[in-house]
Amino acid sequence: MIGGFTGVVLLVFLLLLKLLSSNDSDRATIVNTGHTGLDGPNADQEIIIKYRAAKELMQQGKLNESEEAFMRLFINTKVEEPTRSWAGLDGVVAAFLDGRMNDAKRHAKSVTEHIDTRSSKLPPGFSNVLNPTLKSVQHLEFQDIKKMDLSKMDDEHLMACMIAGLKNWEQGGLDKAAPFFETITREIDANHNGPLAWYRNVADHYLSDLLVLKSKPMKDIPSTSSDCRSAVDELEVALGSLKTRGRAKYNIRSRQSELRQHETYLDSQLNAN
C-alpha cells in the first residue's frame, strides 16, 4: 500500500518536472496589450516587453520603428488572439500617423484577411465594425460616421473611429475626419489612465491641426503681393506648430505654392498697367 502511494507521488513529481522544464517557445502567447488581451501566468514576458516597447516608440513619435515592431508581432504565430490582431491594427495606425497611406493600406489588407479567417476567436467588434473599416481603407470613398454602428464604445469601436478618421484625413477629407476624432475625445475621458488615453491625445492633435488648416491664410485670397508674402510667412510659422504628419504639411505647402503663384499673377497685372 505504502509502495503504491510512493509510486503515485513519484509519478506526479516527474510530471511536474516535465512541465516546468518544457520549452517556452512552444506556447502561444496572450499579451496584455491594453485592449482585450489577457496577461495570464503563462504569458511570454519577451512578447509583453516587445509590445510595450512598440507602444513606447509610437508615443515617442518613432512611428516607422513602431510600425515595424507591431507588424513583427502581427506575423508571429506564437502570439495568441486577440493580441495578434491588435498588433496589426496598431501597425496600421502607426503608418497612418506617419503619413504613409500606401503602407497603411497594405497593412490593413493583411489584417483584414487575418481577421476574416479568425473571426470565431475574436470579440464581435472585430467582424462587426473593425473589418468593414479596414476594408474601406482600400477605397476612395470617405467613411461616414453616421453609417458606422457606434451603439457600443468599446475598444474595437474606438479603434475603428481612429482608423476611419485617419483614412479620411490622409485622403483630404478633413471635415469628414473630424467627427471621428471628436468621438474619441468625447468617449475617452481626459483623466483616463488606460492604454487608450494616448489615442485621445492623437485625436486632439488632429483637431488642433484642423484649426490651422482652416485659418485665414489657408482660405483668404490676398489682394496684393505684400499680402501674399505675409500669408506665406504665416504659414511657414504654422508648419512648425503642426502636431501631425502627412496631410497637414502637404496642404500647407500646397497653399504656399498657390499664394506664390497668385503673387506672380498680381505682379504681372500691376506691371501690365
Side-chain angles (χ1 to χ4, degrees):
M1 184 72 176
I2 294 176
F5 177 79
T6 302
V8 170
V9 171
L10 180 60
L11 179 61
V12 171
F13 174 79
L14 290 174
L15 287 172
L16 286 173
L17 185 62
K18 179 176 178 61
L19 286 172
L20 290 171
S21 62
S22 63
N23 189 348
D24 284 348
S25 64
D26 293 335
R27 289 201 304 262
T29 300
I30 303 176
V31 180
N32 185 353
T33 65
H35 299 289
T36 50
L38 301 174
D39 190 6
N42 294 327
D44 190 324
Q45 290 300 312
E46 182 181 356
I47 297 295
I48 295 173
I49 291 170
K50 287 180 178 179
Y51 205 109
R52 290 173 180 167
K55 279 285 189 181
E56 288 176 6
L57 287 170
M58 180 184 275
Q59 294 171 9
Q60 292 167 7
K62 299 177 181 178
L63 299 172
N64 192 43
E65 295 174 53
S66 173
E67 169 198 351
E68 291 176 357
F70 279 128
M71 296 313 293
R72 281 196 297 270
L73 287 168
F74 171 66
I75 65 174
N76 185 348
T77 58
K78 299 296 183 183
V79 180
E80 189 69 87
E81 294 296 351
T83 301
R84 188 177 172 189
S85 293
W86 275 113
L89 292 167
D90 283 323
V92 172
V93 170
F96 266 130
L97 295 180
D98 208 26
R100 289 180 285 108
M101 183 76 176
N102 287 337
D103 287 335
K105 282 184 175 182
R106 178 166 53 86
H107 296 326
K109 185 174 186 296
S110 297
V111 179
T112 296
E113 293 171 351
H114 176 82
I115 293 174
D116 277 339
T117 61
R118 290 164 177 79
S119 58
S120 62
K121 298 180 180 180
L122 294 166
F126 279 83
S127 295
N128 297 343
V129 67
L130 271 171
N131 232 17
T133 302
L134 287 168
K135 289 176 180 178
S136 78
V137 171
Q138 309 301 327
H139 307 292
L140 292 175
E141 294 83 3
F142 293 124
Q143 278 282 80
D144 187 348
I145 195 167
K146 294 179 181 178
K147 295 181 180 180
M148 183 179 285
D149 177 14
L150 296 179
S151 56
K152 293 180 65 177
M153 277 291 107
D154 53 18
D155 290 351
E156 290 80 23
H157 287 75
L158 288 169
M159 180 59 98
C161 283
M162 176 60 70
I163 292 172
L166 291 171
K167 166 204 156 54
N168 286 352
W169 181 276
E170 287 303 320
Q171 288 187 182
L174 307 183
D175 290 329
K176 292 285 188 180
F180 290 104
F181 297 139
E182 288 167 351
T183 297
I184 293 170
T185 59
R186 182 177 64 250
E187 295 297 331
I188 301 177
D189 187 84
N191 297 318
H192 186 80
N193 294 319
L196 287 176
W198 189 73
Y199 284 107
R200 177 198 166 93
N201 294 337
V202 170
D204 283 338
H205 290 167
Y206 278 91
L207 292 173
S208 173
D209 281 359
L210 180 60
L211 296 178
V212 175
L213 296 176
K214 288 190 168 188
S215 63
K216 187 175 180 180
M218 288 293 292
K219 58 184 181 181
D220 286 1
I221 301 176
S223 57
T224 67
S225 297
S226 176
D227 288 342
C228 287
R229 290 190 293 272
S230 294
V232 168
D233 291 341
E234 283 185 56
L235 292 176
E236 193 65 32
V237 173
L239 274 172
S241 70
L242 291 177
K243 298 179 179 180
T244 67
R245 306 177 190 179
R247 172 58 61 176
K249 182 177 181 180
Y250 171 83
N251 280 15
I252 289 181
R253 286 302 189 199
S254 296
R255 177 59 175 166
Q256 285 179 313
S257 178
E258 292 173 359
L259 289 167
R260 291 188 181 103
Q261 291 177 12
H262 189 56
E263 178 188 354
T264 300
Y265 168 76
L266 292 174
D267 284 343
S268 66
Q269 291 296 104
L270 185 63
N271 293 332
N273 294 330

